[in-house]
């Protein structure tokens, strides 16, 4: 059995972040290695913990998801970014892809779809 996909979460909503961390942590194929509440700490987190995938919120304090994704992809090009957002218009979603995100899902997406997207981003699907 391959090692679990190492995931880091970037989410300012503490309740959502903790719930997602708990739900993903119940799976054998994903390991949540860390989380931060804003985009300013994502590069430091990724350099320290070396996740395979970062699940990034779009609307974040300080750096938004686009800025944080760009900074992350510049600093840690091997880390894939999956955006998870409550709402983003087409222009915002396009900006996320241009910054280097490999997928963008809404937060009300079924957990199985989120997991499938994380595994796919890590090359496991």
């Amino acid at each position: 059995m391959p090692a679990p996909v190492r995931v880091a979460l970037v989410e300012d909503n503490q309740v959502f972040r903790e719930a997602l961390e708990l739900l993903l942590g119940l799976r054998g194929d994903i390991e949540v290695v860390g989380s931060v509440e804003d985009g300013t700490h994502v590069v430091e987190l990724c350099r320290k913990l070396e996740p395979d995938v970062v699940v990034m919120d779009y609307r974040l304090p300080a750096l938004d998801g686009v800025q944080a994704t760009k900074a992350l992809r510049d600093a840690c090009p091997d880390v894939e970014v999956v955006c998870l957002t409550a709402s983003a218009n087409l222009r915002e979603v396009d900006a996320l892809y241009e910054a280097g995100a490999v997928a963008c899902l809404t937060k009300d997406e079924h957990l199985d779809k989120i997991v499938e997207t994380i595994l796919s981003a890590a090359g496991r699907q």
Side-chain angles (χ1 to χ4, degrees):
M1 175 174 243
V5 173
R6 296 172 52 82
V7 174
L9 306 176
V10 183
E11 170 61 57
D12 63 324
N13 181 313
Q14 182 179 352
V15 173
F16 185 81
R17 184 177 67 245
E18 289 175 356
L20 187 59
E21 188 170 350
L22 176 70
L23 291 170
L24 292 175
L26 295 173
R27 302 186 52 88
D29 51 358
I30 293 177
E31 176 187 7
V32 178
V33 295
S35 65
V36 291
E37 63 210 19
D38 66 59
T40 60
H41 298 100
V42 69
V43 170
E44 178 185 342
L45 176 82
C46 288
R47 285 184 173 149
K48 179 180 175 185
L49 300 177
E50 300 180 348
D52 302 306
V53 177
V54 168
V55 177
M56 177 91 64
D57 188 11
Y58 175 78
R59 301 201 191 287
L60 294 166
L63 293 179
D64 68 20
V66 172
Q67 295 164 320
T69 296
K70 174 99 174 84
L72 176 61
R73 297 290 292 151
D74 287 347
C76 305
D78 294 335
V79 176
E80 300 296 348
V81 177
V82 172
C83 183
L84 204 57
T85 183
S87 66
N89 63 41
L90 186 55
R91 186 174 44 100
E92 293 167 333
V93 170
D94 286 344
L96 285 163
Y97 284 119
E98 287 175 23
V102 296
C104 187
L105 302 170
T106 58
K107 289 182 178 177
D108 62 354
E109 193 73 58
H110 195 277
L111 181 63
D112 289 342
K113 178 67 175 174
I114 294 170
V115 167
E116 177 185 307
T117 303
I118 291 169
L119 295 176
S120 178
R124 303 279 177 92
Q125 233 17 4

